[in-house]
Amino acid sequence: MTTIMDLMHFFIIVVIFGPLAYGLWHHFDLRRIAYRHAQRYCLQAGVQFLDQTIVLEKFSIARSTHSLLTFKRCFVFEFAAVGDRRYRGRITVLDGHIDSIELEPFKTLQQD
């Protein structure tokens, strides 16, 4: 009887924590992808990607082109253009793909 109860407990744990573990793994994978895209975007824009990190700002449910509903993740990061002024950038991941990357308006060397 105890082996059946042990199997039931194991099954319950797998059913509850399995999807949770997969969701966390998938989130960190998308975060890594967003980090690389933000870093590459900053390099192409000629600005410096600061602190080598991005932070989850918003997590929500949104409509998708591929499915009815999907998760939308908005990450923020900081960059510098000239001097020590920090600016914010935002990268949005929708349906597991990069949806948009935005940089705050920043000063360049040509501006006064």
Side-chain angles (χ1 to χ4, degrees):
M1 189 58 106
T2 58
T3 57
I4 293 174
M5 293 301 285
D6 290 341
L7 284 174
M8 287 177 56
H9 286 125
F10 177 74
F11 181 72
I12 290 170
I13 289 172
V14 168
V15 167
I16 292 173
F17 292 111
L20 180 64
Y22 173 76
L24 285 173
W25 173 78
H26 186 63
H27 169 75
F28 286 118
D29 190 43
L30 290 176
R31 183 178 177 272
R32 181 182 50 82
I33 291 168
Y35 171 84
R36 287 185 180 163
H37 278 276
Q39 202 174 31
R40 189 176 312 125
Y41 193 81
C42 285
L43 184 64
Q44 291 172 348
V47 298
Q48 183 181 4
F49 185 70
L50 297 177
D51 301 331
Q52 303 302 311
T53 188
I54 62 172
V55 177
L56 181 67
E57 179 185 50
K58 185 178 180 183
F59 183 81
S60 61
I61 297 175
R63 290 194 175 203
S64 170
T65 57
H66 297 88
S67 61
L68 184 60
L69 296 174
T70 188
F71 293 114
K72 180 179 180 180
R73 294 167 174 88
C74 294
F75 296 96
V76 293
F77 58 93
E78 292 186 332
F79 67 95
V82 179
D84 60 353
R85 172 98 196 275
R86 290 177 173 258
Y87 299 94
R88 287 179 57 139
R90 176 176 285 116
I91 185 164
T92 303
V93 179
L94 182 66
D95 202 23
H97 303 286
I98 303 301
D99 186 51
S100 65
I101 302 177
E102 303 168 358
L103 299 179
E104 276 185 352
F106 57 90
K107 284 190 172 187
T108 62
L109 288 175
Q110 289 81 20
Q111 294 177 340
D112 293 323

